[in-house]
């Protein structure tokens, strides 16, 4: 019988027919390590043109998965291919060892700070956990065949690395980009921490949608502004629409759009008549929502700017709030009048600064109201919303209450709804000293691969709000600043003190 094997033109190799990976893989890794294969590549490549691929570090908080594998192997292809192309192409692996992902893992075992461990012991537990994860991930990355300087990685909890982070903060301060402000930020009630935009994802949520009457405080003043004689026997109100009733205790104003047309409409609501101010473009939809379609009477028509500065009665607190003007008011939904709480919304905060409104945040980090908050002191947000709705209904200030399913920001870790909450935070300003302007100027000077990345980063920089760098957490690099207790001004020796800390 003919032996056809020798008639096939195939290369002759020492490769075994059997893969035998369980035995060969450890031998291969041992051979690379004992022979210092990576070090030998560096010695051979010395003096060549340099190609450095920065590897964004994974979190040190769990076993590697297919995402890690795809990331590391593809980058290893690049580094090795550039080495074969004649470059000195080192690979320095690294790990991100700070932040919520690690802190949350330690909380699962030991509870929050103060329950079983004090802050110092908690940080020690975080450091030990992160180091353990680094060792486990390093072992598995090596098994993927990724070559690198595994004995000298960069680790963000290394004191030298932390010192450089603090020095970088000092440079930000010297360039005039840092400020402190009670600005609303995303706040996770489970993390009990401020969140960056990248830590927020949007999911559907069912919320209570309510239409609330803010009664006009001075009917004579309103009549002069609207050009109408007002019958004092009927209540006259501006109506707002909101899906966050719990923010009403922090209301400081009602915003209208200066150029929008508004109408004063009289209609039957239940067993009595009401007079309300609504945006002309939304009036029909609002009246239908209130069950008043076909039984209405228009009494006046005017632009929003006519009511600027007029005072309204808060619907359940003994105080008055002004009417203000804002470009964030739209005709997409609601009533054309926007409930404004500078402590609980970005647009509210911006327009509030223009009118010098107070930024009053009655909500604590755990999602409860401060004990001295009228009506809802000490209550959780959901319970407070229910009581607020009941109170509005009892006082006749609730025109409509229904459930609404809508897209709402959620914490990417806990998958729970977040809130906007103003707390004193440190921010890097995009406008002070031209940070946004300079970044947009320099983006075209960078070579982007793929080219579409240039437009993507430019679009992000153009619209990015100021960057909140504060976290109310225990495990991380602190903002090493000394500031005045009353004025929040930085210590005059800030640069010197930062270097001393570093």
């Amino acid at each position: 019988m003919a032996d056809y094997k020798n008639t096939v033109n195939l290369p002759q190799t020492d490769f075994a027919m059997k893969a035998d990976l369980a035995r060969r893989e450890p031998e291969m890794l041992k051979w690379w390590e004992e022979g210092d294969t990576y070090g030998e590549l560096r010695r051979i490549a010395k003096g060549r043109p340099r190609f450095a691929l920065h590897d964004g570090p994974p979190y040190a908080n769990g076993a590697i998965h297919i995402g890690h594998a795809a990331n590391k192997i593809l980058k290893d292809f690049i580094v090795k291919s550039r080495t074969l192309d004649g470059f000195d192409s080192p690979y320095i692996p690294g790990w991100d060892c700070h932040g919520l992902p690690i802190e949350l893992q330690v909380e699962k075992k030991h509870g929050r700070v103060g329950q079983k461990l004090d802050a110092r012991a908690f940080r020690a537990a975080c450091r030990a956990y992160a180091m353990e994860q680094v060792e486990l991930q390093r072992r598995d990355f090596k098994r993927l065949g990724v070559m690198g300087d595994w004995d000298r990685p960069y680790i963000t909890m290394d004191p030298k690395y932390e010192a450089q982070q603090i020095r970088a903060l000092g440079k930000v301060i010297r360039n005039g980009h840092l400020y402190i402000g009670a600005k609303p930020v995303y706040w996770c009630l489970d993390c009990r921490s401020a969140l960056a935009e990248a830590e927020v994802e949007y999911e559907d949520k069912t919320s209570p949608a309510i239409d609330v009457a803010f009664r006009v405080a001075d009917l004579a003043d309103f009549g002069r502004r609207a050009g109408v004689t007002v019958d004092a026997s009927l209540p006259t109100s501006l109506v707002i629409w909101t899906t966050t009733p719990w923010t009403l205790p922090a209301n400081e104003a009602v915003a209208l759009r200066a150029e929008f047309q508004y109408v004063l409409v009289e209609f039957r609501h239940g067993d009595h008549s009401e007079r309300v101010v609504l945006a002309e473009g939304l009036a029909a939809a609002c009246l239908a929502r209130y069950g008043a379609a076909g039984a209405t009477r228009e009494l006046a028509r005017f632009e929003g700017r006519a009511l600027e500065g007029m005072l309204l009665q808060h619907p359940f607190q003994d105080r008055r709030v002004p009417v203000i003007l804002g470009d964030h008011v739209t005709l997409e939904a609601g009533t054309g009048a926007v409930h404004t709480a500078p402590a609980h919304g970005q647009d509210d905060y911006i327009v509030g600064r223009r009118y010098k409104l107070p930024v009053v945040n009655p909500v604590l980090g755990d999602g409860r109201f401060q004990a001295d908050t009228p009506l809802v002191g000490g209550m959780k947000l959901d319970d407070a919303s229910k009581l607020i709705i009941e109170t509005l209904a009892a006082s006749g200030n609730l025109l409509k209450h229904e459930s609404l399913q809508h897209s709402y920001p959620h914490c990417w870790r806990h998958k729970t709804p977040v809130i906007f909450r103003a707390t004193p935070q440190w921010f890097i300003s995009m406008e002070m000293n031209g940070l946004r302007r300079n970044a947009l100027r320099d983006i075209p000077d960078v070579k982007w691969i793929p080219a579409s990345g240039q437009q993507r980063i430019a679009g992000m920089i153009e619209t990015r709000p100021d960057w909140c760098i504060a976290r109310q957490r225990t495990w991380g690099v602190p903002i090493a600043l000394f500031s005045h207790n009353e004025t929040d001004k930085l210590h005059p020796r800030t640069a010197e003190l930062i270097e001393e800390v570093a």
Side-chain angles (χ1 to χ4, degrees):
M1 187 174 179
D3 183 1
Y4 290 103
K5 181 179 71 171
N6 295 324
T7 68
V8 181
N9 187 19
L10 290 175
Q12 299 297 311
T13 74
D14 294 330
F15 294 149
M17 294 292 291
K18 183 180 179 183
D20 200 12
L21 187 63
R23 181 179 64 83
R24 290 181 183 277
E25 183 196 48
E27 289 179 353
M28 189 182 302
L29 293 174
K30 183 179 179 182
W31 184 74
W32 283 345
E33 190 167 339
E34 290 181 349
D36 189 20
T37 303
Y38 178 78
E40 184 63 23
L41 286 172
R42 300 279 62 73
R43 288 186 285 274
I44 292 172
K46 189 175 181 179
R48 293 179 179 178
R50 193 172 179 85
F51 176 88
L53 177 68
H54 173 68
D55 181 21
Y59 272 121
N61 72 321
I64 70 169
H65 48 69
I66 193 66
H68 290 102
N71 182 291
K72 292 294 182 188
I73 292 171
L74 289 172
K75 290 176 178 175
D76 191 53
F77 286 171
I78 295 171
V79 171
K80 286 175 178 172
S81 67
R82 300 307 275 171
T83 299
L84 292 172
D85 285 341
F87 288 87
D88 177 10
S89 187
Y91 170 56
I92 310 298
W95 278 272
D96 187 347
C97 300
H98 287 127
L100 273 172
I102 291 163
E103 192 165 342
L104 293 174
Q105 292 297 326
V106 175
E107 282 185 359
K108 290 178 183 178
K109 183 176 181 180
H110 299 289
R112 295 184 185 274
V113 175
Q115 292 180 343
K116 295 181 181 178
L117 302 177
D118 61 18
R120 181 184 292 271
F122 188 89
R123 281 191 286 269
C126 288
R127 180 174 290 275
Y129 173 81
M131 200 66 242
E132 174 188 333
Q133 299 305 308
V134 166
E135 294 302 326
L136 292 174
Q137 290 189 6
R138 171 162 37 197
R139 179 198 65 192
D140 289 344
F141 287 146
K142 287 181 180 180
R143 291 189 62 189
L144 296 176
V146 176
M147 287 190 180
D149 198 349
W150 293 108
D151 294 331
R152 292 180 297 178
Y154 71 92
I155 296 177
T156 61
M157 64 181 181
D158 185 306
K160 292 181 180 178
Y161 194 101
E162 292 177 328
Q164 290 301 96
Q165 290 183 68
I166 289 175
R167 290 188 177 103
L169 174 64
K171 187 175 181 180
V172 170
I173 295 169
R174 288 196 301 276
N175 290 338
H177 300 310
L178 192 76
Y179 72 94
I180 190 171
K183 177 182 175 182
V185 294
Y186 290 114
W187 186 274
C188 175
L189 298 175
D190 291 299
C191 297
R192 297 192 186 182
S193 174
L195 300 183
E197 281 189 90
E199 296 172 298
V200 172
E201 57 189 23
Y202 283 80
E203 298 178 13
D204 285 345
K205 177 180 183 289
T206 300
S207 301
I210 58 175
D211 291 75
V212 181
F214 278 67
R215 306 296 184 189
V216 172
D218 186 339
L219 288 175
D221 179 43
F222 171 73
R224 286 191 297 272
R225 293 167 178 270
V228 64
T229 300
V230 182
D231 182 358
S233 64
L234 291 180
T236 300
S237 311
L238 270 66
V239 184
I240 65 93
W241 177 83
T242 182
T243 58
T244 53
W246 61 267
T247 62
L248 285 168
N251 175 275
E252 296 295 340
V254 171
L256 306 179
R257 185 75 169 255
E259 69 275 18
F260 280 0
Q261 285 288 319
Y262 288 83
V263 292
L264 174 64
V265 181
E266 183 178 321
F267 70 101
R268 291 290 297 175
H269 183 246
D271 58 357
H272 66 281
S273 293
E274 286 269 0
R275 285 179 177 165
V276 296
V277 174
L278 302 166
E280 180 188 26
L282 293 167
C286 291
L287 293 170
R289 193 160 68 239
Y290 309 152
T296 64
R297 187 161 64 102
E298 182 181 312
L299 303 177
R301 181 182 294 258
F302 45 86
E303 289 187 338
R305 57 172 52 90
L307 302 188
E308 183 181 19
M310 187 182 74
L311 293 178
L312 305 171
Q313 179 62 45
H314 189 282
F316 56 84
Q317 292 181 353
D318 186 19
R319 60 189 180 90
R320 294 178 176 182
V321 298
V323 174
I324 62 175
L325 304 178
D327 292 338
H328 65 293
V329 181
T330 71
L331 299 178
E332 293 179 6
T335 65
V338 176
H339 148 55
T340 302
H344 297 304
Q346 181 65 19
D347 289 332
D348 300 35
Y349 174 77
I350 292 171
V351 73
R353 288 184 67 181
R354 190 162 73 244
Y355 283 91
K356 295 182 172 56
L357 299 178
V359 182
V360 178
N361 170 32
V363 180
L364 301 172
D366 62 355
R368 291 181 181 274
F369 280 91
Q370 295 177 10
D372 59 352
T373 307
L375 182 66
V376 293
M379 299 181 69
K380 291 183 177 180
L381 300 187
D382 287 344
D383 295 335
S385 286
K386 293 175 184 177
L387 179 58
I388 288 169
I389 292 170
E390 292 171 1
T391 302
L392 292 171
S395 65
N397 291 326
L398 183 67
L399 298 183
K400 182 67 177 180
H401 171 213
E402 59 189 357
S403 294
L404 175 72
Q405 189 176 51
H406 59 139
S407 180
Y408 190 85
H410 286 62
C411 172
W412 72 334
R413 297 184 182 89
H414 292 96
K415 310 301 179 184
T416 53
V418 302
I419 64 172
F420 266 105
R421 175 176 179 266
T423 58
Q425 307 281 0
W426 290 99
F427 295 89
I428 293 177
S429 169
M430 295 300 293
E431 302 299 341
M432 287 166 52
N433 286 351
L435 181 58
R436 191 191 312 276
R437 181 184 66 247
N438 294 340
L440 291 172
R441 178 198 64 202
D442 294 340
I443 284 172
D445 295 335
V446 177
K447 182 179 180 182
W448 297 90
I449 302 174
S452 59
Q454 177 175 335
Q455 189 58 41
R456 183 178 178 186
I457 191 72
M460 186 193 79
I461 294 296
E462 285 173 352
T463 59
R464 181 182 178 87
D466 292 348
W467 178 18
C468 177
I469 63 170
R471 289 289 189 276
Q472 285 62 47
R473 305 300 301 186
T474 304
W475 176 237
V477 179
I479 297 176
L481 299 176
F482 296 86
S483 60
H484 195 283
N485 282 337
E486 295 178 0
T487 66
D488 288 326
K489 287 186 177 180
L490 293 180
H491 195 286
R493 293 174 51 228
T494 290
E496 178 185 342
L497 291 171
I498 281 184
E499 181 55 36
E500 190 172 329
V501 171

